[in-house]
Amino acid sequence: MSGRPGHSQEGYPSSSPSSFDAHQNDPFSPPTRRYYDNDSEDYGRRDTYASDNSNAGFYDHNGAYDPYPPQDNDSDGDVYGQRYAPSAESLGVPRVNQSESSTPTFVDYGASAGGRDAYPAWSTERNIPLSKEEIEDIFLDLTQKFGFQRDSMRNMFDFLMQLLDSRASRMAPNQALLTLHADYIGGHNANYRKWYFAAQLDLDDAVGQVQNPGLTRLKSKKGGKRPTHEKSLNTAIERWRQAMNNMSQYDRLRQIALYLLLWGEAAQVRFVPECLCFIFKCADDYYRSPECQNRMEPVPEGLYLRAVVKPLYRFIRDQGYEVVDGKFVRRERDHEDIIGYDDVNQLFWYPEGIARIVLNDKTRLVDLAPAQRFMKFDRIDWNRAFFKTYYERRSFGHLLVNFNRIWVIHISVYYFYTAYNSPTIYQVNDKDVTSLAWSATALGGAVATVIMILATLTEFSYIPTTWNNTSHLTRRLVFLLITLALTAGPTFYVAIAESSGNGGQLTLILGIVQFWISVVATLLFAFMPSGRMFGDRVAGKSRKYLASQTFTASYPALASTSRFASVMLWVLVFGCKFVESYFFLTLSFRDPIRVMVGMKIQNCSDRFWGNNLCTNHAAFTLTIMYIMDLALFFLDTFLWYIIWNTVISIGRSFSLGLSIWTPWKDIYTRLPKRIYAKLLATNDMEVKYKPKVLVSQIWNAVIISMYREHLLSIDHVQKLLYHQVDAGAAAGGRRSLRAPPFFISQNDKGFRGEFFPPGSEAERRISFFAQSLTTAMPPPLPVDAMPTFTVLTPHYSEKILLSLREIIREEDKNTRVTLLEYLKQLHPIEWDNFVKDTKILAEESATFNGVTPFNDEKQTKTDDLPFYFIGFKSAAPEFTLRTRIWASLRAQTLYRTVSGMMNYSKAIKLLYRVENPEVVQLFGGNTDKLERELERMARRKFKFVVSMQRYSKFNKEEQENAEFLLRAIFSALIDGHSEFMENGKRKAKFRIELPGNPILGDGKSDNQNHAIIFYRGEYLTQPDQSEPLRSWGHKDFKRTPVAIVGANIGILGDLAAGKSRRFGTLGHYFQCGKGRDLGFGTILNFQTKIGTGMGEQLLSREYYYLGTQLPIDRFLTFYYGHPGFQINNMLVILSVQLFILTMVFIGSLSSVTICRYTGDGQFIGGQAGCYNLDPVFDWIKRCILSIFLVFMIAFLPLFLQELVERGTWKAIVRLAKQFGSLSPVFEIFSTQIQTHSVLSNLTIYLGRTLLMLLYVTLTLWTPYLIYFWISIVALCYKKKKLGHPSEKLSGDLPRATWHAVLFSEVIFPVIMAILFVIAYMFVKSFPVDGETPPSPLVRIAVISLGPIVWNAAILLTLFIISIFLGPMLDPVWFLERWDTSHAVLGLIACVAIQRAFKHDETNRAWWTGRWYGRGLGAHVMSQPAREYIVKIIELSLWSSDLIIGHILLLMLSLPIFIPYFDRFHATLLFWLRPSKQIRAPVYSIKQRKTRRKIIVKYGLLYIAVIVLFAVLIALPIVFHTTLKFDCSICNSL
């Protein structure tokens, strides 16, 4: 080990002798052995197993390996392309093409209890730069210098050693340490290096000026000149590279160890990585100072946690929580008022931000020498340092700012199209004017400019103006105002000149120039990201934008072919879209515009408005039609995106060989060869056995694994396995392997056989596996050289393992089936296989116990009933546990996740045994020793961490289930070898104190964060689990929680096998995938969760950065692949609403005489005074077709996927099932839920839409409206929240601000009310029997406001009564005949009952009249008025809900009169024959009588209500001509 080096002026180690010779050939020269999966020239892809920094070598003039290249952009080639020395883990003789042999070492497990070294690749035999003991000394030294926790030190030591062991298994140890340091600290992909240059610390470190790092850059700009080479970024990078190359291996490891120790106790600070980089910089500066080196006594344990982490933790915690009555509860703050993780992190991006950090005595931290800063962290006033860097306000402005290019592209082009095809609007004296046509059309550029101006003004509200980042917005705004003048100003001149008759050549030229300026402006705003205008934060050369380029615009560059494909996709999409939109939408709209522009309705008048309303009604209608056409203009873009995306995806599947339509559809025939070529590291093996022998081991293991999961029966297994058979006398009596006929039958048309149940999970898995191997993939690494990786699963309250009670008993008395019955219906084949295996096991057990299993056949069938019913006949634990496991593997349980992921362990063992047959030979027939050797390798290469957030609070059942998991799978932290404590729980291997309660956010990310320190290896994957929302007590925050997790080893599970089919963006699965029921409530909550999640994402700064910085093609891909899907849903629902609104207005025109035409379009004579609306009706049909196609196109990807993967007939059957199950209705329902979840979490109410459609049907009947009736029925539902909201707890939704509610709850309803009043007033403005009808406005006012006034009067009366009766002990005193004692006792009982219901205080105060003692405080004066208004609204809504609810009930009642409709409905849902469906339970005589009484009683009531509503509707329709009554008041209204 080299001695500790000196220090350079930059604060980095000087070029002291390294621990290895740079000119050695061994670690640096490329060996002929090819160990890496990045040897993939044939597939044209980069390394996927080595570190992100471990490719593409750069060399200096001596030819030595250089891991710190001079390039500083993320799109550079990989840095570590060197091939390294092989691992010492290769078992057996040296492999072929191996330049350096390795000695196999095995442990005699019988002789040594200790087993093998935990880090075998990091051993003294391999010329390691630092021994395990020396590394441990480094950790001990750092712990004593900084006060880290001892358990944290032990944990991070093991973490680093497993990292080194993982890397050293496929490269020389020196190189492993070098690349690891490059990944963490010095490489160009290391986050610390990126932050160091982004925060411009190099400008100060370069010349030794340690003061004011945030201001030296500003001084240099204001005139304090510094040498160019000092300020040059390239010069600074070169100095960094030299410092990194000259660093000794000791210092490299010391820096890694320090970073990991800081990271290991950082808790919530891990969510702010650049803050952690700053802490590391200060800690590293302090460590290298004389003050630290000369300090002999160790600092107290836990100093780092208390002085550095806890103050930051408290600041983050206090932003979201406050103490109320001794408990921490969530503050009533929304995102815009909370300084969150991103705001904290962003402070450290800029030197100006770091300069804001001050101590309690107001001394700036940067004014101290670097070596002194770390020891002052406990005195930092973080409250004065942090501020909001981006306001996540809840408004639609985010859609405008983030996606302004979408609005520019669509609205501007729509205006260009429509303006050109609306010449009637800008005619002068009924004549077309060319110059005015050019100029009016050119206003499309002004439209684009206005959109950009609005986006820029809105952007000002999201970015704090106190930060030095709004100057580019000001410059952009000035440019946009100039552009608006150029694109809109000429139109005024042209219009005035042409109207006065002074137009000429000049106006024509001006209009043409204006048009082309508008085109250029539109293209500029459509293509250029707004973030690159007047201050290029993406590619600007100024150091000012380096932080933005590093942290917000560091997306990797696409390869030329990929970029070309990306651009071509959008050229095709928008090329087809613009052509189709012009000819299908715009040209079809030309004629309706022509006939309606000059339309003036005659012979109608209103008492108040005269003929103004009638004259302008056509204009009102046309305006709404314009808006409707614009909505459709947006929708067909998404339609073409789906079409072309599907076409390209299919083409890609053809090229990869994933389709049964490809020329090599015989994927099963070639499967054995592909297993050998793509799963086994044959290039690194000394092949002693024939390929068939090696392949048979893998294939048989796969089949047997599916058999053990009950996916295959024993008969199917026999047909799918490789078998040993006699080779015949010619072979000398030897045995040979016979391939299963499954591989042959695909080509042999004469051979037929059933190898697995058709349509089963086994068939799908094997097909998925075979098709996956047809894709190009890099050559595999040997198991002993593969990187170590970890799977981390967060767990809160999900079931670990289902109990017997949960699966065989009904949930409640109203539940028809048990969970087991439900699962048996979903997985009938797997249940049959399970029952057969259980019977075999029971027979073997009975034989072993001396009981004969052979009975007569009739008795056997009777005895088998329990097996088919509940899966067992004996109540022995081993039998009941099998049923519990079978059900748990098909439900939403932790056991299912663990079981699937633990297949990784099985796969590693299998591949290790196959690749190293000498291992089997070495241990001979000792299977225990062989299994221990395989287990050792699996544990070394794979870990599984389960983060159990509630582990310390588990009840007895949960503890037993967790113990079952531990016995099965765990090996680290808390495992089957951990000793038990007195309380019966296991003692954790590591107990690491946290700064406070780890759950500050939504739960899931915090749960993962506190357990992430226990992961091991180079890669981490995190399968999904559900998060919880929690509130914590004050004492919980004071008591330091202990991070306890379960960890283990364990592969390719359900997810990798494609078992869980994902839907939506959040990664949840439907029925089969996640084991959940598909009831209405579940679907509603799931879709709401998806929509609400997208709504939260739209507020985030990540969407702001992506939307304003990505190039156009990648922006469009991002938009339509993520937020565009939800926004398109919003536009779909908007288009339906707009269409029905448009139809209402067009329907109101049915009051006039409409011209009629013959079939060939000839005008029918004798229609004087008619109005030509025929083009409008044609346009309506096109609108309906457009909306229909938008919904139906969603099924195209499904159909084509089935077509490609399963064939024509199965694709047709699948599509037929989708439509037969009324899937289009569900699609509409899902779209509506997600739309309203994005817009708000308020109640969805669509009764008005139903009534609008009813009016349209009565006035403009067309068969196309049937589709809309189905759609509207799917949209009509009422969202109900169950339970009571807590009082300011963390799970509560934030209250919307007044300006967020103003539009949706006030302005929009008022606008809609005005529109419908206009339509109603129009149809009532025509004379009846020659007399002018009374004012419809008065009638509307009386009918709509009358009930409200009535409700208000009744409520006011009740309020007065309650005020006077309340002080008199309520009505109890009166009912008790003024007996005070009895009244008081009754009052006590009433209060107790009311408290049990937990009604809100103001509601109880309203009805009791007692407003005092309610805890209302100063609000007691205002609350009665507020409650009065609320009660009026509640009464009004209740009446409308009652009517619409019964209308829906009437509509849904029709199918129940159809015999056996319930069976038909169940068939549509499950696609099971009636004989296979879940049958009704068997009831006792008493139960049948009770049920019959209930049916009779409520059935009669049900029929009576339906008859009553039907009569109320039918009587006026039938007798409207005969029912006459004289009502003078009615006639005057």
Side-chain angles (χ1 to χ4, degrees), residues 1385-1447:
L1385 181 60
L1387 181 64
I1388 293 172
C1390 293
V1391 170
I1393 294 172
Q1394 289 176 349
R1395 285 182 182 272
F1397 286 103
K1398 297 182 180 178
H1399 287 149
D1400 58 287
E1401 297 295 335
T1402 55
N1403 184 50
R1404 282 189 284 168
W1406 174 268
W1407 295 113
T1408 62
R1410 294 198 308 275
W1411 293 90
Y1412 54 87
R1414 298 290 182 184
L1416 299 176
H1419 296 288
V1420 71
M1421 301 302 296
S1422 62
Q1423 284 302 304
R1426 172 192 174 276
E1427 195 69 17
Y1428 181 54
I1429 297 173
V1430 168
K1431 289 287 187 271
I1432 294 173
I1433 297 173
E1434 287 178 349
L1435 276 176
S1436 303
L1437 291 178
W1438 179 85
S1439 59
S1440 59
D1441 281 354
L1442 177 70
I1443 296 173
I1444 293 175
H1446 281 83
I1447 291 175

Side-chain angles (χ1 to χ4, degrees), residues 1339-1382:
R1339 179 176 297 180
I1340 285 292
V1342 171
I1343 295 174
S1344 59
L1345 299 180
I1348 297 178
V1349 173
W1350 175 258
N1351 291 336
I1354 295 297
L1355 286 168
L1356 183 60
T1357 304
L1358 292 175
F1359 176 72
I1360 295 173
I1361 294 174
S1362 67
I1363 284 292
F1364 286 101
L1365 286 181
M1368 295 190 300
L1369 302 179
D1370 291 338
V1372 179
W1373 199 8
F1374 168 77
L1375 295 175
E1376 294 295 337
R1377 304 297 175 93
W1378 316 112
D1379 188 326
T1380 305
S1381 61
H1382 290 185

Side-chain angles (χ1 to χ4, degrees), residues 36-49 652 655-656 658 664 671 673-681 683 768-781 911 1052 1056:
Y36 294 91
D37 57 309
N38 59 344
D39 300 332
S40 54
E41 294 83 2
D42 293 340
Y43 303 103
R45 60 171 293 176
R46 54 168 288 180
D47 175 17
T48 54
Y49 291 118
R652 181 66 174 162
S655 65
L656 295 177
L658 294 178
W664 39 305
L671 184 55
K673 293 181 180 179
R674 289 179 179 144
I675 291 176
Y676 181 76
K678 297 192 176 185
L679 295 186
L680 295 174
N683 292 336
F768 184 90
F769 175 62
Q771 291 180 354
S772 298
L773 288 184
T774 63
T775 59
M777 58 181 64
L781 282 172
L911 290 176
L1052 204 65

Side-chain angles (χ1 to χ4, degrees), residues 1176-1412:
V1176 177
F1177 297 143
D1178 291 338
W1179 175 80
I1180 289 174
K1181 295 177 182 178
R1182 287 178 179 264
C1183 291
I1184 294 175
L1185 181 60
S1186 297
I1187 295 175
F1188 178 78
L1189 286 176
V1190 166
F1191 277 114
M1192 292 301 108
I1193 201 67
F1195 296 92
L1196 179 65
L1198 172 69
F1199 175 74
L1200 292 180
Q1201 178 186 356
E1202 292 288 312
L1203 182 70
V1204 169
E1205 294 184 359
R1206 305 183 66 188
T1208 307
W1209 175 244
K1210 290 185 177 179
I1212 294 174
V1213 170
R1214 175 66 185 275
L1215 195 65
K1217 286 184 176 181
Q1218 291 290 123
F1219 283 94
S1221 302
L1222 300 181
S1223 185
V1225 177
F1226 173 79
E1227 178 70 20
I1228 298 166
F1229 169 74
S1230 172
T1231 301
Q1232 171 74 342
I1233 298 173
Q1234 294 185 26
T1235 296
H1236 279 268
S1237 299
V1238 172
L1239 294 174
S1240 66
N1241 293 327
L1242 302 177
T1243 300
I1244 301 170
Y1245 188 75
L1246 282 171
R1248 183 181 61 206
T1249 307
L1250 194 67
L1251 297 177
M1252 289 163 58
L1253 185 60
L1254 179 61
Y1255 174 76
V1256 171
T1257 305
L1258 294 174
T1259 55
L1260 293 176
W1261 165 249
T1262 173
Y1264 296 110
L1265 292 176
I1266 296 175
Y1267 170 75
F1268 279 89
W1269 272 104
I1270 298 174
S1271 302
I1272 296 301
V1273 170
L1275 294 177
C1276 287
Y1277 72 97
K1278 185 85 171 177
K1279 181 179 177 182
K1280 181 181 180 183
K1281 290 184 178 179
L1282 300 178
H1284 299 280
S1286 59
E1287 298 176 359
K1288 294 171 64 177
L1289 295 184
S1290 61
D1292 289 351
L1293 295 173
R1295 293 182 180 177
T1297 56
W1298 68 269
H1299 58 269
V1301 178
L1302 182 63
F1303 179 81
S1304 61
E1305 296 301 305
V1306 179
I1307 297 177
F1308 181 73
V1310 168
I1311 292 175
M1312 295 301 295
I1314 292 174
L1315 289 176
F1316 290 122
V1317 168
I1318 289 174
Y1320 181 74
M1321 290 176 65
F1322 172 76
V1323 298
K1324 300 301 293 182
S1325 298
F1326 292 89
V1328 178
D1329 297 331
E1331 297 182 4
T1332 303
S1335 174
L1337 194 59
V1338 176
R1339 179 176 297 180
I1340 285 292
V1342 171
I1343 295 174
S1344 59
L1345 299 180
I1348 297 178
V1349 173
W1350 175 258
N1351 291 336
I1354 295 297
L1355 286 168
L1356 183 60
T1357 304
L1358 292 175
F1359 176 72
I1360 295 173
I1361 294 174
S1362 67
I1363 284 292
F1364 286 101
L1365 286 181
M1368 295 190 300
L1369 302 179
D1370 291 338
V1372 179
W1373 199 8
F1374 168 77
L1375 295 175
E1376 294 295 337
R1377 304 297 175 93
W1378 316 112
D1379 188 326
T1380 305
S1381 61
H1382 290 185
V1384 170
L1385 181 60
L1387 181 64
I1388 293 172
C1390 293
V1391 170
I1393 294 172
Q1394 289 176 349
R1395 285 182 182 272
F1397 286 103
K1398 297 182 180 178
H1399 287 149
D1400 58 287
E1401 297 295 335
T1402 55
N1403 184 50
R1404 282 189 284 168
W1406 174 268
W1407 295 113
T1408 62
R1410 294 198 308 275
W1411 293 90
Y1412 54 87

Side-chain angles (χ1 to χ4, degrees), residues 66 80 105 115 322 375-376 434 562 706 766 951 1035 1359:
D66 183 2
Y80 301 103
T105 55
E322 61 182 341
M375 300 308 291
K376 303 292 184 182
T434 306
S562 299
M706 286 195 287
I766 292 175
Y951 182 80
K1035 296 180 180 178
F1359 176 72

Side-chain angles (χ1 to χ4, degrees), residues 176 387 513 523 594 764 814 825 1066 1151 1241 1430 1486 1531:
F387 65 98
V513 172
L523 291 176
R594 176 178 52 81
R764 196 195 62 78
N814 297 319
Q825 294 293 333
L1066 297 184
S1151 302
N1241 293 327
V1430 168
K1486 183 179 180 181
N1531 293 333

